[in-house]
Amino acid sequence: MQNVKNNSQKAIKILGNSKRAFVFVGIFSFIINMLLLVSPVFMLQLYDRVLTSGSEDTLFVLTGLAVFLIAILGALEMIRSRIMVRVGVDIDKELHVPVFMSVINRSLRADMSKSSQAIRDLDSLRQFFSGAGLFAFFDAPWTPFYLMIIFIMHPLLGSIALGAAIVIFILAIFAELLSREPLKEASVEGAKANSFAETSLRNASAIKAMGMANQIGETWRKNHSEMIDGQTKASNRLSILMGWSKAFRIIIQIVILAAGGWLTIQQEITPGIIIAASIIAGRALAPVEQAIGAWRGYVNARAARGRLVSMLQLSQTADENIKLPVPEGAVSVEKLIGVPTGVQKAIIKGVSFELAAGETMAIVGASGSGKTTLMQFLAGIWPPNQGNVKIDGAEICNLHTEDRAAFIGYLPQDVELFEGTVKENIARFTEFKDEDVIEAARLANCHDLILALPQGYETDIGGGGSHLSGGQRQRIGLARAFYGDPAVILLDEPNASLDTAGEVALAEAIVNMKNKKTTVIMISHAMNLMQHSDKLLVLNEGTVVKFGPTAQIMAEMRGGN
């Protein structure tokens, strides 16, 4: 059985083990770089052996051998590239579920922009592994080997090539120093812009209705422009270095040809060495130059990997390892103090109550009294800062992911459905039997409503349930909460989007739950719902004002006590 903790540990291990793939690519790079000597060696033999001897047989043999070896070079280049593409795909396959789960967990504890950034980070990592720029870093270490060969040809030629390599290496260091901060700033601003865009899309209707489109668009443009400015600044600096390094490399090859010509006049080297040294020098300097162009991708991938590891490490404590038996539904809250993420002070202040299995409780209180926040702690969305929340003695916030369907059914205040069919949403996108989905819909008293949809249970609800009305989303969300026979049902303002008929259906659904001995906790001031509750909890500024049998508490409230 795997849980979020095990998935996160596995994912972190995969990110570390990705380095091992470099070993295999390094072996191919060794063979490839040895084969890259075929061209200069061929030129050396052509000028110093074939042209002087006039042997056509030697020319044909050398040409055939060179073509054969270059063909092998091309095949190895293809294999090397495919290996890294495969590595990138494998990393994505292994990490996309742990990263997505970490995004969900992190979004409840931190800035959403940092959470959604992880999805883009995974894409960046895969693209870097699959891109051609990565190979420049494998080929650059062979520069000293090529320089040694040039030194063997003649110390003067080797000194020129060595000096050029040092200059280009210094340019590569400058590329890192000059691009680091702009790219870092661009990454931060890009995350902000993307987060703002996501929020805007979720509220597109309100933006259009209230004439906010231009203002929202201008705000997004400013955030996006700051990201583009950072990327442009880094790209401009890198383009300057790339342009000068490329020109410098060509100049060095010309200088080596000139120096080779002079040495040939002095009869210190042969004409073949001139051409061979020039080709090898170009090969020695090219990877370093290419590394400058690939530096931006490397910096982004390095930062993405670091952020992914950090996020996965934060998610390692999300679940218990032990799967618990199906509960009866007794709920106990003891001295709960809760401070949701992003809030500076406690919203829930020492709340305590107990419910026997099968009891129904209504929570009432003024706006801002902490009702929804309490419900979120009851659902285990946030762990208590102090105190505890338990179902049948088990801490809710530590429930194994697979236990939650059997323990808790939750209808939040703002019902969010997901793109897919009605039955997929009710079944929480798990493997399901049609009869279980229909049973949940019947318990929620919305079976007939679903049958009236264009394709019934097969109806595609659109992104966020956009093809449904607010009341339809509310009732399908209720069926989702009932799916799987959870021991505890949590309903936050379940009648918020319902018409009169919908409220009657909801009241009948609560009666259905009571008949099944399911524990129900709901936030509602509607009398037709409260009358079905066994207990009533009154909240004010995060503390319990009254708690007890509904009839007794309502009598006390009517009496002004």
Side-chain angles (χ1 to χ4, degrees):
M1 183 186 303
Q2 289 186 333
N3 50 37
V4 174
K5 179 178 179 180
N6 291 336
N7 281 339
S8 298
Q9 290 176 336
K10 180 182 177 182
I12 294 170
K13 184 177 180 181
I14 290 169
L15 283 173
N17 289 347
S18 62
K19 299 176 182 177
R20 297 179 183 177
F22 291 174
V23 174
F24 297 99
V25 176
I27 293 172
F28 280 96
S29 296
F30 168 78
I31 301 173
I32 287 169
N33 279 276
M34 294 300 295
L35 289 175
L36 285 171
L37 293 173
V38 169
S39 179
V41 169
F42 176 77
M43 298 299 295
L44 182 65
Q45 294 297 315
L46 177 64
Y47 278 87
D48 292 350
R49 186 174 180 179
V50 174
L51 295 182
T52 55
S53 67
S55 172
E56 294 181 358
D57 291 338
T58 302
L59 176 62
F60 294 147
V61 170
L62 287 175
T63 302
L65 182 59
V67 170
F68 174 73
L69 293 176
I70 294 300
I72 293 176
L73 169 65
L76 292 178
E77 284 275 18
M78 179 191 69
I79 295 172
R80 181 174 73 163
S81 178
R82 296 189 68 173
I83 287 175
M84 293 313 300
V85 170
R86 184 75 257 173
V87 168
V89 171
D90 287 345
I91 286 178
D92 186 88
K93 285 183 178 179
E94 294 292 339
L95 292 185
H96 70 272
V97 171
V99 168
F100 186 77
M101 293 301 297
S102 296
V103 165
I104 293 175
N105 292 325
R106 179 72 180 273
S107 66
L108 299 173
R109 299 176 172 86
D111 181 7
M112 185 61 196
S113 65
K114 295 179 181 178
S115 303
S116 58
Q117 179 64 34
I119 304 296
R120 291 184 286 274
D121 284 341
L122 187 56
D123 289 337
S124 296
L125 206 58
R126 185 191 68 251
Q127 290 168 4
F128 176 71
F129 277 115
S130 304
L134 175 65
F135 298 120
F137 297 97
F138 286 103
D139 295 334
W142 288 92
T143 294
F145 172 71
Y146 292 129
L147 293 176
M148 181 183 69
I149 293 177
I150 299 174
F151 265 106
I152 292 173
M153 291 179 171
H154 195 279
L156 176 60
L157 300 179
S159 299
I160 295 172
L162 176 61
I166 292 173
V167 171
I168 293 179
F169 181 73
I170 292 173
L171 290 176
I173 294 176
F174 271 119
E176 154 70 359
L177 297 177
L178 293 176
S179 63
R180 181 188 300 169
E181 285 303 316
L183 288 176
K184 183 178 179 180
E185 293 172 4
S187 178
V188 172
E189 295 300 329
K192 287 171 57 179
N194 289 328
S195 177
F196 188 83
E198 290 166 3
T199 303
S200 301
L201 290 174
R202 287 197 299 268
N203 296 277
S205 298
I207 291 171
K208 181 69 173 178
M210 293 184 287
M212 298 168 57
N214 290 336
Q215 293 80 0
I216 293 294
E218 180 63 20
T219 301
W220 177 84
R221 186 196 64 78
K222 289 179 181 177
N223 292 337
H224 187 70
S225 294
E226 290 178 2
M227 175 194 71
I228 296 299
D229 288 344
Q231 292 181 345
T232 302
K233 185 184 296 183
S235 297
N236 287 339
R237 293 176 179 180
L238 288 174
S239 63
I240 293 172
L241 293 174
M242 286 180 61
W244 281 109
S245 64
K246 184 174 183 178
F248 182 72
R249 177 175 61 83
I250 296 173
I251 290 172
I252 289 301
Q253 287 183 280
I254 293 173
V255 170
I256 287 177
L257 286 172
W262 181 77
L263 290 172
T264 302
I265 293 173
Q266 302 298 317
Q267 297 186 345
E268 295 187 29
I269 62 173
T270 62
I273 290 179
I274 300 176
I275 305 300
S278 177
I279 294 173
I280 295 174
R283 181 58 205 167
L285 302 179
V288 183
E289 176 195 330
Q290 292 166 2
I292 295 175
W295 199 260
R296 175 178 168 181
Y298 169 71
V299 171
N300 288 337
R302 181 179 62 184
R305 181 183 181 278
R307 287 191 296 266
L308 286 173
V309 169
S310 298
M311 171 169 278
L312 290 166
Q313 287 173 338
L314 288 174
S315 300
Q316 288 189 4
T317 58
D319 278 353
E320 284 276 341
N321 288 323
I322 300 174
K323 196 173 188 302
L324 299 175
V326 176
E328 295 181 1
V331 177
S332 64
V333 177
E334 183 179 1
K335 298 178 181 179
L336 172 63
I337 295 178
V339 184
T341 300
V343 179
Q344 301 301 318
K345 62 180 182 178
I347 302 299
I348 305 302
K349 306 168 185 176
V351 170
S352 298
F353 65 85
E354 290 188 5
L355 290 177
E359 285 191 313
T360 297
M361 182 180 78
I363 303 174
V364 298
S367 178
S369 60
K371 302 186 298 298
T372 294
T373 302
L374 174 60
M375 191 69 80
Q376 290 168 332
F377 278 101
L378 294 177
I381 294 173
W382 296 312
N385 298 88
Q386 293 184 36
N388 54 63
V389 180
K390 297 180 179 179
I391 297 180
D392 288 9
E395 289 279 1
I396 290 179
C397 63
N398 290 332
L399 290 181
H400 189 283
T401 300
E402 295 176 9
D403 284 331
R404 292 186 181 273
F407 276 68
I408 297 173
Y410 179 47
L411 180 70
Q413 190 174 52
D414 297 319
V415 179
E416 288 285 353
L417 300 181
F418 304 95
E419 188 165 358
T421 63
V422 169
K423 67 180 183 180
E424 286 174 333
N425 273 271
I426 292 177
R428 308 181 188 184
F429 288 86
T430 61
E431 294 184 4
F432 60 89
K433 296 179 180 178
D434 288 343
E435 53 266 31
D436 293 335
V437 173
I438 294 172
E439 174 64 16
R442 290 188 184 278
L443 287 172
N445 213 11
C446 65
H447 175 66
D448 292 337
L449 177 148
I450 294 172
L451 291 180
L453 295 174
Q455 284 83 41
Y457 283 89
E458 298 290 345
T459 299
D460 188 340
I461 66 172
S466 59
H467 297 168
L468 304 176
S469 68
Q472 289 172 327
R473 288 197 297 270
Q474 193 93 6
R475 295 176 68 181
I476 291 172
L478 185 66
R480 180 180 63 187
F482 288 175
Y483 178 80
D485 290 327
V488 178
I489 300 290
L490 304 173
L491 307 176
D492 189 350
E493 300 284 2
N495 59 324
S497 301
L498 301 181
D499 55 17
T500 302
E503 288 194 359
V504 172
L506 174 60
E508 293 178 5
I510 292 174
V511 172
N512 291 337
M513 289 294 100
K514 287 177 66 68
N515 293 337
K516 286 176 63 68
K517 304 299 182 183
T518 300
T519 304
V520 178
I521 301 176
M522 59 181 171
I523 297 174
S524 179
H525 293 85
M527 288 302 301
N528 65 325
L529 300 182
M530 291 173 59
Q531 66 180 352
H532 299 297
S533 65
D534 303 300
K535 299 286 179 65
L536 184 62
L537 184 145
V538 183
L539 275 183
N540 183 40
E541 295 185 355
T543 60
V544 176
V545 177
K546 293 179 182 294
F547 173 69
T550 299
Q552 175 187 328
I553 298 301
M554 292 186 70
E556 291 178 0
M557 293 173 67
R558 283 195 297 267
N561 295 329

